[in-house]
Amino acid sequence: MLKVAVLISGRGSNMKSLVNACQQEGFPAQIACVISNKPEAQGLVWAAEQGIPTAVVNHRDYGKDREAFEKALHAEITKHGVRLVCLAGFLRLLTPWFVTQWLDRLVNIHPSLLPAFPGLHVQQAAIDYGARFSGCTVHFVRSEMDHGPIIVQAAVPVLAHDTEDTLAARILEFEHKIYPQALRWIAEGRVNVHDEKCFIADVNAPPSTINPCS
Ligand code: GRF
């Protein structure tokens, strides 16, 4: 059973999707702790109600000393025998020190088809660009923001009258599918990184799709 820490900063809907998956019979991972850098993160309450150990490591307590913050975070994570860290709406950029500690054991979900639209407000950015598809990406974390070997992506169409909120909702539905899927593959030992690319054992190729279509 792979022990997992989930790091959040807010709502925590992706954390919930991981917890719900882990609660299913036979799922090969277990959420050992949920940690937030913000005491007010709504997701903490829900996680505690599920009986999951929760903790706050408040970045504000460490001023500008990012490494001291990350050492405290690392110490909290390692208390729980964790082998994988899942970022789920965790709004702190991690330094190379932390990323190296958890190399290829640190995963993030991002609401665009990386490498397109890294950063914040990415749903609006996809609309403003006129992209025909956007989506979400689960990837191993590297020091550069929203960068690293891609495990899985889901594509959703960008529709003519989309707003940031309607597109975000369409993408979020698929975030909640692919993050648990990626966690399962990792826990099953099926994900390998070579030359900064992910290879996943025994997966099928998806169909291609067109937007708009006639
Ligand atoms: C998600 O869109 C995720 O992709 C991004 O931040 C958002 C977090 O939402 N990294 P939630 O807290 O998981 O509901």
Side-chain angles (χ1 to χ4, degrees):
M1 190 69 94
L2 180 72
K3 288 195 173 180
V4 179
V6 184
L7 272 50
I8 64 170
S9 298
R11 174 177 67 175
S13 72
N14 279 289
M15 175 271 294
K16 285 183 195 175
S17 77
L18 296 175
V19 168
N20 288 336
C22 287
Q23 285 169 345
Q24 283 162 26
E25 176 109 15
F27 198 88
Q30 174 199 339
I31 307 303
C33 58
V34 173
I35 303 171
S36 174
N37 65 313
K38 291 190 174 184
E40 68 275 16
Q42 306 98 292
L44 283 174
V45 177
W46 184 87
E49 283 168 5
Q50 307 303 301
I52 297 166
T54 62
V56 175
V57 181
N58 190 340
H59 63 278
R60 289 180 194 276
D61 294 343
Y62 301 88
K64 290 201 163 82
D65 192 346
R66 280 184 178 267
E67 201 158 313
F69 162 67
E70 290 182 356
K71 288 208 161 120
L73 190 60
H74 181 74
E76 187 61 45
I77 293 168
T78 49
K79 268 187 206 168
H80 301 273
V82 161
R83 304 293 301 157
L84 182 80
V85 177
C86 290
L87 306 180
F90 184 70
L91 297 175
R92 298 301 291 172
L93 190 60
L94 295 162
T95 69
W97 178 81
F98 190 91
V99 172
T100 304
Q101 294 296 313
W102 292 96
L103 192 72
D104 294 344
R105 293 183 299 144
L106 177 61
V107 181
N108 183 42
I109 185 152
H110 179 77
S112 78
L113 292 175
L114 292 174
F117 309 120
L120 295 173
H121 307 295
V122 296
Q123 295 92 347
Q124 188 62 51
I127 293 167
D128 292 346
Y129 193 90
R132 291 297 188 184
F133 285 97
S134 190
C136 42
T137 303
V138 180
H139 64 99
F140 286 114
V141 173
R142 297 293 181 259
S143 314
E144 198 183 324
M145 188 177 53
D146 299 324
H147 183 87
I150 291 171
I151 301 165
V152 57
Q153 295 184 305
V156 308
V158 181
L159 302 180
H161 300 293
D162 264 333
T163 63
E164 185 173 13
D165 287 349
T166 59
L167 180 58
R170 191 174 309 120
I171 293 171
L172 193 65
E173 190 185 326
F174 284 86
E175 293 186 43
H176 297 161
K177 291 190 196 329
I178 67 169
Y179 214 177
Q181 178 66 79
L183 176 56
R184 175 184 276 280
W185 285 336
I186 293 167
E188 288 172 347
R190 290 165 60 187
V191 181
N192 289 297
V193 180
H194 293 294
D195 286 338
E196 291 297 275
K197 286 189 205 50
C198 278
F199 295 87
I200 299 160
D202 303 321
V203 283
N204 297 320
S208 300
T209 177
I210 296 172
N211 174 40
C213 36
S214 55

